[in-house]
Amino acid sequence: MTFEIQKVKVYTSDGKEVVKEVSLCLVKPGIYTIMGPNGAGKSSLVNAIMGHQSYRLEGRVLLEGEDITKLPTHEKARKGITLATQMPLEIEGVRVAELLSRIIKRFQGVDKTDEALRIARELLGLVGLSDSIMSRYFMVGMSGGERKRLELARVLAQRPRVALLDEPDSGVDVESMPLVAKAIEKLREDGAIVVLITHQPRLFKHLEPDHVYVMYNGRIVAEGGLDLVQLIEDKGYTWIAHRNGGR
Amino acid sequence: MSGTRLLEDRPLTELSRDDIVEFSRRRKEPEWVLRRRLEAFEYLRSTPPDPKIDPLIEKVTYKVFIESLENPVLPTEEAIKAAERLGVKPEELEVLASGFSIDVDNVVVKAVLKYFEKKGVIFTSMDEAVKRYPVVKEYAFRGLHPQLNRKTAYHVMLWAGGPFIYVPRGVKIPQPLQGVFIIGREGLGQTEHTLIVLEEGAELHWIEGCTTPIALRYAVHLGGLEAFVKNNAKLYVASINNWLGEVHHMPVKRAIVEGDNAYAELTSIAFYSTTSHTAPRIDLRGRKSRGVIQNIALYRDKQRVHSAPLIRYEAPETSAQILNRTVVKDEAVEEFNGMLYAARGAKGATGFMSCNTLVIGDKAKSITVPAIGTEEKDAELSHEASVGRISYEKLYYLALMGFDEDEATWLIVNGFFEPVINKLPIDVQIEVKKILELALLGH
């Protein structure tokens, strides 16, 4: 399993360069964390990778060596790469059960609705959501924490080879944090490359990343292990960026 | 060749008084039915043509109309197959306590009602009912009377077929009765007349489906439904329309809620017609009576649609709702002019009109002009309207889940309809979703 982004630059629709040049080569399943302050370009990077129309991407995105840079978003998803968005949207009138079972049928090769629903319930249980959420409309009227956990269940349902997670911990209360961590751990166990974006180290009380990158002002400025997270807590992002050449 | 045409070649808009007498005679109708037809004829003669209605009816000739009445194009087996397209399973025809009729080109080819006949329920064809049941004379064409408007007058002058349903006092029919109206040949003006009478405390769900077995080059649907609802009675009507080819849909519908605490609900689910002119109406005449008109529709291609539902309050403490939930796509144009009107005497009337439209594409249009009128100071009537488009963000979000644009649009549209659809009987829900998927995804 390999996931590569080569010399990727990202521009907004008004031409502003928000990611200056980022290259990553991830060759085995694991949790690869990108940390950085607000405005560092983390969300722009993952949304541009997935093909959001607000961004223009230069460089290449490769999945198992195949160039998927220009594929439409849904085809990227079908090839096994998806994104858990920072703010999951409400899909009015579409029940959680219906959406998850459609996803499970497509991505897990399940034919029967009963079986798809059983898997959906299992995934919801994993993220601490009760069966009753199945009959609710997708994301409608749910709290921030419920949304984040449902979004992770949705990503799990897709059995991705690459899961880009954009701040899955934001808006999640302290009690739910272990559940979020458990879902991310499950993705790793299932063999996915997880690119985890966060700007708060609190998630790592429950989860150990395989590698940590620090993104600052559109560039990767540092990388390391959990000790780098401690350094972020002690010194902050700006200090780290300046120590590494002030990039 | 002289300018004189054979009687049979005349358009339906040019029939003479003698033609109408001849038409009624061929059908062996009682005198009172002929009188109503002639009243309609006189009304049409004395009022100017309606540019939206008359040109469409003009294209149908008397010859085609008569031929199809006397020689229905579809045998029973074929009619049942067409009925299946509207979600009616053959086995349902024989289910105990179910009621069912299939009406092809204005001729009832099959009608079934068992268990409830013993309780005095009448479920038969109108052609038969006008001859056999005196109660029909008391109600027929009182709601849809010949002087209501030109469209209704055409319907009364030309009606044929359709069911008569009479539910006696206190009888509640738990399972929906169903009827399917099929236009089986080109140029036919399907003009079925449905008459429903609910006595005190009675309850009925009536589901009617209108379709064509093949794509027609030209056809007009000018069916009618009138209902009378007595004290504490409840009537639910759901009409599903899914026409193929060039079909002009212009039904006339009116429910008169005569009884105190009575209820009538008219639901229309429309998927396709070339043009559509609908103006369903409920009159609330009983104290504390209630009425709901709801329309769920997907308009597409170059459809031209005008809908003007009306609820008229005439008694104290009456309440009503008009709900219009539509999706307009391609180059379709929808005009909506719903109205809630509290007449003198409707003290304390309350009502709400809600119009929500989802527009897909740059060329589709929706023009919504809801209206409210009152002659009573304390009537509380309100409305809200929204017209929206599918956002890119939502399509992107669903694409992250692997749904392409068509699939995502279908999900969003389905979800848009769902809050209204989920209140319909389960059989109707399933079928509506199936037709919706076909309409949007083509498979």
Side-chain angles (χ1 to χ4, degrees), chain A residues 100-155:
Chain A
L100 288 185
S101 68
R102 281 178 183 273
I103 290 170
I104 288 163
K105 283 179 181 176
R106 167 171 282 152
F107 287 96
Q108 301 195 23
V110 173
D111 289 334
K112 291 186 176 163
T113 303
D114 285 355
E115 174 62 4
L117 292 174
R118 186 194 63 74
I119 295 170
R121 273 191 289 272
E122 210 174 275
L123 293 174
L124 292 171
L126 185 84
V127 295
L129 295 171
S130 68
D131 276 11
S132 64
I133 212 160
M134 294 274 278
S135 60
R136 289 176 62 184
Y137 295 141
F138 196 78
M139 300 289 173
V140 176
M142 294 184 192
S143 68
E146 282 176 325
R147 285 178 185 222
K148 287 300 174 86
R149 285 184 283 151
L150 178 56
E151 182 71 339
L152 284 170
R154 185 274 291 175
V155 169

Short mmCIF file of all heavy atoms in Angstrom, two decimals, chain A residues 100-155:
data_model
loop_
_atom_site.label_atom_id
_atom_site.label_comp_id
_atom_site.label_asym_id
_atom_site.label_seq_id
_atom_site.Cartn_x
_atom_site.Cartn_y
_atom_site.Cartn_z
N LEU A 100 -25.88 4.70 5.12
CA LEU A 100 -24.81 3.75 5.48
C LEU A 100 -24.99 2.43 4.75
O LEU A 100 -24.01 1.83 4.29
CB LEU A 100 -24.78 3.52 7.00
CG LEU A 100 -24.26 4.70 7.85
CD1 LEU A 100 -24.18 4.29 9.32
CD2 LEU A 100 -22.91 5.22 7.38
N SER A 101 -26.23 1.98 4.62
CA SER A 101 -26.39 0.68 3.95
C SER A 101 -26.03 0.78 2.47
O SER A 101 -25.46 -0.15 1.90
CB SER A 101 -27.78 0.08 4.16
OG SER A 101 -28.73 0.84 3.49
N ARG A 102 -26.32 1.92 1.85
CA ARG A 102 -25.90 2.09 0.44
C ARG A 102 -24.38 2.06 0.32
O ARG A 102 -23.82 1.47 -0.60
CB ARG A 102 -26.44 3.42 -0.12
CG ARG A 102 -27.89 3.35 -0.52
CD ARG A 102 -28.41 4.69 -1.02
NE ARG A 102 -29.81 4.57 -1.32
CZ ARG A 102 -30.31 4.17 -2.50
NH1 ARG A 102 -29.50 3.89 -3.48
NH2 ARG A 102 -31.61 4.08 -2.68
N ILE A 103 -23.72 2.74 1.26
CA ILE A 103 -22.25 2.79 1.23
C ILE A 103 -21.67 1.39 1.46
O ILE A 103 -20.77 0.95 0.75
CB ILE A 103 -21.75 3.79 2.32
CG1 ILE A 103 -22.10 5.22 1.90
CG2 ILE A 103 -20.25 3.64 2.54
CD1 ILE A 103 -21.87 6.26 2.98
N ILE A 104 -22.22 0.70 2.45
CA ILE A 104 -21.70 -0.63 2.78
C ILE A 104 -21.89 -1.60 1.61
O ILE A 104 -21.00 -2.38 1.27
CB ILE A 104 -22.38 -1.15 4.08
CG1 ILE A 104 -21.83 -0.34 5.27
CG2 ILE A 104 -22.15 -2.64 4.28
CD1 ILE A 104 -22.65 -0.42 6.53
N LYS A 105 -23.05 -1.50 0.95
CA LYS A 105 -23.29 -2.37 -0.20
C LYS A 105 -22.24 -2.12 -1.28
O LYS A 105 -21.73 -3.05 -1.89
CB LYS A 105 -24.69 -2.14 -0.76
CG LYS A 105 -25.78 -2.80 0.07
CD LYS A 105 -27.13 -2.51 -0.53
CE LYS A 105 -28.24 -3.13 0.28
NZ LYS A 105 -29.57 -2.78 -0.24
N ARG A 106 -21.95 -0.85 -1.53
CA ARG A 106 -20.99 -0.54 -2.60
C ARG A 106 -19.56 -0.93 -2.22
O ARG A 106 -18.85 -1.52 -3.01
CB ARG A 106 -21.04 0.95 -2.94
CG ARG A 106 -19.86 1.38 -3.82
CD ARG A 106 -20.00 2.78 -4.35
NE ARG A 106 -20.93 2.80 -5.46
CZ ARG A 106 -21.67 3.86 -5.79
NH1 ARG A 106 -21.62 4.95 -5.09
NH2 ARG A 106 -22.48 3.81 -6.82
N PHE A 107 -19.15 -0.56 -1.01
CA PHE A 107 -17.74 -0.70 -0.66
C PHE A 107 -17.39 -2.04 -0.02
O PHE A 107 -16.22 -2.40 0.02
CB PHE A 107 -17.30 0.45 0.25
CG PHE A 107 -17.19 1.76 -0.47
CD1 PHE A 107 -18.23 2.67 -0.46
CD2 PHE A 107 -16.03 2.08 -1.18
CE1 PHE A 107 -18.13 3.88 -1.14
CE2 PHE A 107 -15.93 3.28 -1.87
CZ PHE A 107 -16.98 4.19 -1.84
N GLN A 108 -18.39 -2.73 0.50
CA GLN A 108 -18.06 -3.99 1.17
C GLN A 108 -18.64 -5.18 0.42
O GLN A 108 -18.61 -6.31 0.92
CB GLN A 108 -18.54 -3.96 2.62
CG GLN A 108 -17.93 -2.81 3.41
CD GLN A 108 -18.10 -2.97 4.92
OE1 GLN A 108 -18.27 -4.06 5.43
NE2 GLN A 108 -18.02 -1.86 5.63
N GLY A 109 -19.20 -4.91 -0.76
CA GLY A 109 -19.74 -5.99 -1.59
C GLY A 109 -20.87 -6.76 -0.94
O GLY A 109 -21.05 -7.95 -1.19
N VAL A 110 -21.63 -6.08 -0.10
CA VAL A 110 -22.77 -6.74 0.56
C VAL A 110 -24.00 -6.57 -0.33
O VAL A 110 -24.28 -5.48 -0.81
CB VAL A 110 -23.01 -6.10 1.95
CG1 VAL A 110 -24.28 -6.64 2.59
CG2 VAL A 110 -21.80 -6.34 2.85
N ASP A 111 -24.74 -7.66 -0.55
CA ASP A 111 -25.93 -7.57 -1.40
C ASP A 111 -27.19 -7.28 -0.59
O ASP A 111 -28.04 -6.51 -1.00
CB ASP A 111 -26.16 -8.90 -2.14
CG ASP A 111 -25.11 -9.10 -3.22
OD1 ASP A 111 -24.58 -8.08 -3.70
OD2 ASP A 111 -24.81 -10.27 -3.55
N LYS A 112 -27.27 -7.96 0.55
CA LYS A 112 -28.54 -7.90 1.28
C LYS A 112 -28.59 -6.71 2.22
O LYS A 112 -27.65 -6.44 2.96
CB LYS A 112 -28.74 -9.20 2.06
CG LYS A 112 -28.99 -10.37 1.13
CD LYS A 112 -29.33 -11.62 1.88
CE LYS A 112 -29.66 -12.72 0.88
NZ LYS A 112 -29.63 -14.03 1.48
N THR A 113 -29.76 -6.06 2.21
CA THR A 113 -29.93 -4.87 3.04
C THR A 113 -29.80 -5.22 4.53
O THR A 113 -29.19 -4.47 5.29
CB THR A 113 -31.30 -4.23 2.75
OG1 THR A 113 -31.34 -3.93 1.35
CG2 THR A 113 -31.50 -2.95 3.53
N ASP A 114 -30.37 -6.36 4.92
CA ASP A 114 -30.31 -6.76 6.34
C ASP A 114 -28.87 -6.83 6.83
O ASP A 114 -28.54 -6.38 7.92
CB ASP A 114 -30.96 -8.13 6.55
CG ASP A 114 -32.47 -8.02 6.49
OD1 ASP A 114 -32.96 -6.88 6.39
OD2 ASP A 114 -33.14 -9.07 6.54
N GLU A 115 -28.02 -7.43 6.00
CA GLU A 115 -26.62 -7.59 6.37
C GLU A 115 -25.93 -6.21 6.42
O GLU A 115 -25.15 -5.93 7.34
CB GLU A 115 -25.93 -8.52 5.35
CG GLU A 115 -24.43 -8.69 5.52
CD GLU A 115 -24.00 -9.31 6.85
OE1 GLU A 115 -24.88 -9.69 7.64
OE2 GLU A 115 -22.78 -9.38 7.10
N ALA A 116 -26.25 -5.36 5.46
CA ALA A 116 -25.66 -4.01 5.44
C ALA A 116 -26.08 -3.24 6.69
O ALA A 116 -25.26 -2.53 7.31
CB ALA A 116 -26.11 -3.27 4.18
N LEU A 117 -27.32 -3.42 7.09
CA LEU A 117 -27.80 -2.70 8.28
C LEU A 117 -27.14 -3.24 9.55
O LEU A 117 -26.84 -2.49 10.47
CB LEU A 117 -29.33 -2.82 8.38
CG LEU A 117 -30.10 -2.06 7.29
CD1 LEU A 117 -31.59 -2.36 7.38
CD2 LEU A 117 -29.88 -0.55 7.39
N ARG A 118 -26.89 -4.55 9.56
CA ARG A 118 -26.21 -5.13 10.72
C ARG A 118 -24.80 -4.54 10.85
O ARG A 118 -24.38 -4.13 11.93
CB ARG A 118 -26.13 -6.66 10.57
CG ARG A 118 -25.58 -7.38 11.79
CD ARG A 118 -25.20 -8.82 11.50
NE ARG A 118 -24.13 -8.96 10.52
CZ ARG A 118 -22.85 -8.71 10.77
NH1 ARG A 118 -22.47 -8.29 11.96
NH2 ARG A 118 -21.93 -8.86 9.82
N ILE A 119 -24.11 -4.43 9.73
CA ILE A 119 -22.75 -3.85 9.75
C ILE A 119 -22.83 -2.38 10.17
O ILE A 119 -22.00 -1.91 10.96
CB ILE A 119 -22.09 -4.00 8.35
CG1 ILE A 119 -21.88 -5.48 8.03
CG2 ILE A 119 -20.77 -3.24 8.30
CD1 ILE A 119 -21.47 -5.76 6.58
N ALA A 120 -23.84 -1.69 9.66
CA ALA A 120 -23.98 -0.27 10.02
C ALA A 120 -24.16 -0.11 11.53
O ALA A 120 -23.52 0.75 12.16
CB ALA A 120 -25.18 0.33 9.27
N ARG A 121 -25.00 -0.96 12.11
CA ARG A 121 -25.24 -0.88 13.56
C ARG A 121 -23.94 -1.15 14.34
O ARG A 121 -23.65 -0.51 15.33
CB ARG A 121 -26.32 -1.89 13.98
CG ARG A 121 -27.72 -1.30 13.85
CD ARG A 121 -28.75 -2.21 14.52
NE ARG A 121 -28.94 -3.43 13.74
CZ ARG A 121 -29.83 -3.55 12.75
NH1 ARG A 121 -30.62 -2.54 12.46
NH2 ARG A 121 -29.94 -4.67 12.08
N GLU A 122 -23.18 -2.09 13.83
CA GLU A 122 -21.91 -2.45 14.47
C GLU A 122 -20.95 -1.25 14.46
O GLU A 122 -20.31 -0.94 15.46
CB GLU A 122 -21.30 -3.61 13.69
CG GLU A 122 -20.45 -4.56 14.49
CD GLU A 122 -20.06 -5.74 13.60
OE1 GLU A 122 -20.86 -6.68 13.53
OE2 GLU A 122 -18.97 -5.70 12.97
N LEU A 123 -20.89 -0.58 13.31
CA LEU A 123 -19.99 0.58 13.19
C LEU A 123 -20.45 1.72 14.09
O LEU A 123 -19.63 2.41 14.71
CB LEU A 123 -19.93 1.05 11.73
CG LEU A 123 -19.27 0.08 10.75
CD1 LEU A 123 -19.40 0.58 9.32
CD2 LEU A 123 -17.80 -0.11 11.10
N LEU A 124 -21.75 1.91 14.15
CA LEU A 124 -22.27 2.97 15.02
C LEU A 124 -21.95 2.65 16.48
O LEU A 124 -21.59 3.54 17.26
CB LEU A 124 -23.78 3.15 14.81
CG LEU A 124 -24.19 3.71 13.44
CD1 LEU A 124 -25.70 3.64 13.25
CD2 LEU A 124 -23.73 5.16 13.28
N GLY A 125 -22.07 1.37 16.82
CA GLY A 125 -21.74 0.94 18.18
C GLY A 125 -20.28 1.23 18.51
O GLY A 125 -19.94 1.68 19.60
N LEU A 126 -19.43 1.00 17.53
CA LEU A 126 -17.99 1.23 17.72
C LEU A 126 -17.69 2.69 18.09
O LEU A 126 -16.79 2.97 18.88
CB LEU A 126 -17.25 0.87 16.42
CG LEU A 126 -15.74 0.92 16.47
CD1 LEU A 126 -15.19 -0.38 17.04
CD2 LEU A 126 -15.16 1.14 15.08
N VAL A 127 -18.46 3.61 17.51
CA VAL A 127 -18.23 5.03 17.82
C VAL A 127 -19.18 5.52 18.91
O VAL A 127 -19.31 6.73 19.13
CB VAL A 127 -18.34 5.92 16.56
CG1 VAL A 127 -17.24 5.58 15.56
CG2 VAL A 127 -19.72 5.81 15.91
N GLY A 128 -19.86 4.59 19.57
CA GLY A 128 -20.68 4.95 20.72
C GLY A 128 -22.01 5.59 20.38
O GLY A 128 -22.58 6.31 21.21
N LEU A 129 -22.52 5.32 19.18
CA LEU A 129 -23.84 5.85 18.83
C LEU A 129 -24.86 4.71 18.90
O LEU A 129 -24.57 3.60 18.47
CB LEU A 129 -23.82 6.45 17.42
CG LEU A 129 -22.94 7.70 17.26
CD1 LEU A 129 -22.82 8.08 15.78
CD2 LEU A 129 -23.48 8.89 18.05
N SER A 130 -26.03 5.02 19.44
CA SER A 130 -27.02 3.95 19.65
C SER A 130 -27.77 3.64 18.35
O SER A 130 -27.76 4.43 17.40
CB SER A 130 -28.02 4.36 20.72
OG SER A 130 -28.81 5.41 20.23
N ASP A 131 -28.43 2.49 18.36
CA ASP A 131 -29.22 2.05 17.20
C ASP A 131 -30.26 3.09 16.77
O ASP A 131 -30.60 3.19 15.60
CB ASP A 131 -29.99 0.77 17.57
CG ASP A 131 -29.13 -0.46 17.39
OD1 ASP A 131 -27.91 -0.28 17.18
OD2 ASP A 131 -29.67 -1.57 17.47
N SER A 132 -30.75 3.84 17.76
CA SER A 132 -31.86 4.76 17.44
C SER A 132 -31.44 5.83 16.43
O SER A 132 -32.28 6.42 15.75
CB SER A 132 -32.39 5.42 18.72
OG SER A 132 -31.37 6.22 19.28
N ILE A 133 -30.15 6.04 16.31
CA ILE A 133 -29.69 7.07 15.37
C ILE A 133 -29.92 6.62 13.92
O ILE A 133 -29.98 7.45 13.01
CB ILE A 133 -28.21 7.42 15.65
CG1 ILE A 133 -27.95 8.89 15.31
CG2 ILE A 133 -27.24 6.52 14.89
CD1 ILE A 133 -26.73 9.48 15.94
N MET A 134 -30.08 5.31 13.73
CA MET A 134 -30.28 4.76 12.38
C MET A 134 -31.50 5.37 11.70
O MET A 134 -31.53 5.55 10.49
CB MET A 134 -30.48 3.25 12.45
CG MET A 134 -29.27 2.49 12.90
SD MET A 134 -28.15 2.11 11.54
CE MET A 134 -28.94 0.66 10.86
N SER A 135 -32.54 5.67 12.48
CA SER A 135 -33.77 6.17 11.85
C SER A 135 -33.78 7.70 11.74
O SER A 135 -34.74 8.27 11.23
CB SER A 135 -34.99 5.69 12.64
OG SER A 135 -34.90 6.16 13.96
N ARG A 136 -32.73 8.32 12.22
CA ARG A 136 -32.70 9.79 12.10
C ARG A 136 -32.12 10.21 10.76
O ARG A 136 -31.40 9.46 10.10
CB ARG A 136 -31.87 10.39 13.24
CG ARG A 136 -32.59 10.25 14.58
CD ARG A 136 -31.76 10.74 15.72
NE ARG A 136 -31.43 12.15 15.63
CZ ARG A 136 -30.63 12.77 16.49
NH1 ARG A 136 -30.09 12.11 17.49
NH2 ARG A 136 -30.38 14.06 16.35
N TYR A 137 -32.47 11.43 10.34
CA TYR A 137 -31.91 11.93 9.10
C TYR A 137 -30.43 12.23 9.30
O TYR A 137 -30.02 12.70 10.37
CB TYR A 137 -32.66 13.19 8.64
CG TYR A 137 -34.11 12.94 8.27
CD1 TYR A 137 -35.10 13.85 8.60
CD2 TYR A 137 -34.48 11.79 7.58
CE1 TYR A 137 -36.43 13.62 8.28
CE2 TYR A 137 -35.81 11.55 7.25
CZ TYR A 137 -36.78 12.47 7.60
OH TYR A 137 -38.09 12.24 7.28
N PHE A 138 -29.65 11.99 8.26
CA PHE A 138 -28.20 12.04 8.35
C PHE A 138 -27.70 13.40 8.81
O PHE A 138 -27.90 14.40 8.12
CB PHE A 138 -27.60 11.68 6.98
CG PHE A 138 -26.14 11.33 7.02
CD1 PHE A 138 -25.72 10.08 7.45
CD2 PHE A 138 -25.19 12.25 6.63
CE1 PHE A 138 -24.38 9.75 7.49
CE2 PHE A 138 -23.84 11.93 6.68
CZ PHE A 138 -23.44 10.68 7.11
N MET A 139 -27.10 13.42 9.98
CA MET A 139 -26.50 14.61 10.61
C MET A 139 -27.52 15.66 11.08
O MET A 139 -27.15 16.61 11.76
CB MET A 139 -25.50 15.32 9.67
CG MET A 139 -24.34 14.47 9.22
SD MET A 139 -23.18 14.15 10.57
CE MET A 139 -22.06 12.97 9.81
N VAL A 140 -28.79 15.50 10.71
CA VAL A 140 -29.76 16.55 11.02
C VAL A 140 -30.04 16.61 12.52
O VAL A 140 -30.38 15.60 13.15
CB VAL A 140 -31.08 16.33 10.24
CG1 VAL A 140 -32.14 17.37 10.62
CG2 VAL A 140 -30.82 16.37 8.74
N GLY A 141 -29.87 17.78 13.09
CA GLY A 141 -30.17 18.02 14.49
C GLY A 141 -29.22 17.31 15.45
O GLY A 141 -29.52 17.18 16.64
N MET A 142 -28.08 16.87 14.97
CA MET A 142 -27.13 16.15 15.85
C MET A 142 -26.13 17.14 16.45
O MET A 142 -25.81 18.16 15.83
CB MET A 142 -26.40 15.06 15.06
CG MET A 142 -27.33 13.95 14.60
SD MET A 142 -26.43 12.63 13.79
CE MET A 142 -27.80 11.72 13.06
N SER A 143 -25.61 16.77 17.62
CA SER A 143 -24.62 17.62 18.26
C SER A 143 -23.30 17.51 17.50
O SER A 143 -23.11 16.59 16.68
CB SER A 143 -24.42 17.17 19.70
OG SER A 143 -23.78 15.91 19.69
N GLY A 144 -22.38 18.44 17.80
CA GLY A 144 -21.08 18.42 17.13
C GLY A 144 -20.37 17.09 17.32
O GLY A 144 -19.81 16.52 16.36
N GLY A 145 -20.41 16.57 18.55
CA GLY A 145 -19.74 15.31 18.84
C GLY A 145 -20.37 14.13 18.11
O GLY A 145 -19.67 13.26 17.59
N GLU A 146 -21.71 14.12 18.06
CA GLU A 146 -22.41 13.03 17.35
C GLU A 146 -22.05 13.06 15.86
O GLU A 146 -21.84 12.02 15.24
CB GLU A 146 -23.92 13.19 17.50
CG GLU A 146 -24.46 12.74 18.85
CD GLU A 146 -25.94 13.01 19.00
OE1 GLU A 146 -26.43 14.05 18.48
OE2 GLU A 146 -26.61 12.22 19.67
N ARG A 147 -21.99 14.27 15.34
CA ARG A 147 -21.66 14.39 13.91
C ARG A 147 -20.28 13.82 13.61
O ARG A 147 -20.08 13.10 12.62
CB ARG A 147 -21.67 15.86 13.48
CG ARG A 147 -23.05 16.42 13.35
CD ARG A 147 -22.98 17.87 12.98
NE ARG A 147 -24.33 18.43 12.96
CZ ARG A 147 -24.80 19.26 12.04
NH1 ARG A 147 -24.01 19.67 11.08
NH2 ARG A 147 -26.02 19.69 12.10
N LYS A 148 -19.30 14.16 14.46
CA LYS A 148 -17.94 13.70 14.22
C LYS A 148 -17.85 12.18 14.30
O LYS A 148 -17.17 11.53 13.52
CB LYS A 148 -16.99 14.33 15.25
CG LYS A 148 -16.72 15.82 14.99
CD LYS A 148 -16.11 15.99 13.62
CE LYS A 148 -15.94 17.43 13.19
NZ LYS A 148 -14.73 18.04 13.63
N ARG A 149 -18.58 11.61 15.24
CA ARG A 149 -18.54 10.15 15.39
C ARG A 149 -19.27 9.45 14.25
O ARG A 149 -18.83 8.43 13.74
CB ARG A 149 -19.11 9.76 16.76
CG ARG A 149 -18.10 10.07 17.88
CD ARG A 149 -18.59 9.61 19.22
NE ARG A 149 -19.60 10.51 19.76
CZ ARG A 149 -20.56 10.13 20.58
NH1 ARG A 149 -20.68 8.87 20.94
NH2 ARG A 149 -21.42 11.02 21.05
N LEU A 150 -20.40 10.04 13.84
CA LEU A 150 -21.12 9.47 12.70
C LEU A 150 -20.26 9.56 11.44
O LEU A 150 -20.25 8.64 10.61
CB LEU A 150 -22.47 10.19 12.52
CG LEU A 150 -23.32 9.74 11.33
CD1 LEU A 150 -23.60 8.24 11.38
CD2 LEU A 150 -24.66 10.51 11.30
N GLU A 151 -19.56 10.66 11.30
CA GLU A 151 -18.69 10.83 10.13
C GLU A 151 -17.61 9.75 10.10
O GLU A 151 -17.29 9.19 9.05
CB GLU A 151 -18.07 12.24 10.18
CG GLU A 151 -17.17 12.59 9.00
CD GLU A 151 -17.92 12.80 7.69
OE1 GLU A 151 -19.05 12.32 7.55
OE2 GLU A 151 -17.34 13.44 6.79
N LEU A 152 -17.08 9.43 11.25
CA LEU A 152 -16.07 8.36 11.31
C LEU A 152 -16.68 7.00 10.98
O LEU A 152 -16.06 6.18 10.29
CB LEU A 152 -15.40 8.34 12.69
CG LEU A 152 -14.38 9.46 12.91
CD1 LEU A 152 -13.96 9.51 14.38
CD2 LEU A 152 -13.14 9.27 12.03
N ALA A 153 -17.90 6.78 11.44
CA ALA A 153 -18.59 5.52 11.11
C ALA A 153 -18.79 5.44 9.59
O ALA A 153 -18.63 4.37 8.99
CB ALA A 153 -19.93 5.44 11.83
N ARG A 154 -19.13 6.57 9.00
CA ARG A 154 -19.31 6.61 7.54
C ARG A 154 -18.01 6.26 6.83
O ARG A 154 -18.00 5.47 5.86
CB ARG A 154 -19.81 8.02 7.16
CG ARG A 154 -20.16 8.22 5.71
CD ARG A 154 -19.01 8.60 4.82
NE ARG A 154 -18.49 9.93 5.08
CZ ARG A 154 -17.42 10.40 4.47
NH1 ARG A 154 -16.75 9.66 3.62
NH2 ARG A 154 -16.99 11.62 4.75
N VAL A 155 -16.91 6.82 7.30
CA VAL A 155 -15.61 6.54 6.69
C VAL A 155 -15.27 5.05 6.86
O VAL A 155 -14.84 4.40 5.92
CB VAL A 155 -14.52 7.45 7.29
CG1 VAL A 155 -13.12 6.99 6.86
CG2 VAL A 155 -14.75 8.90 6.85
#
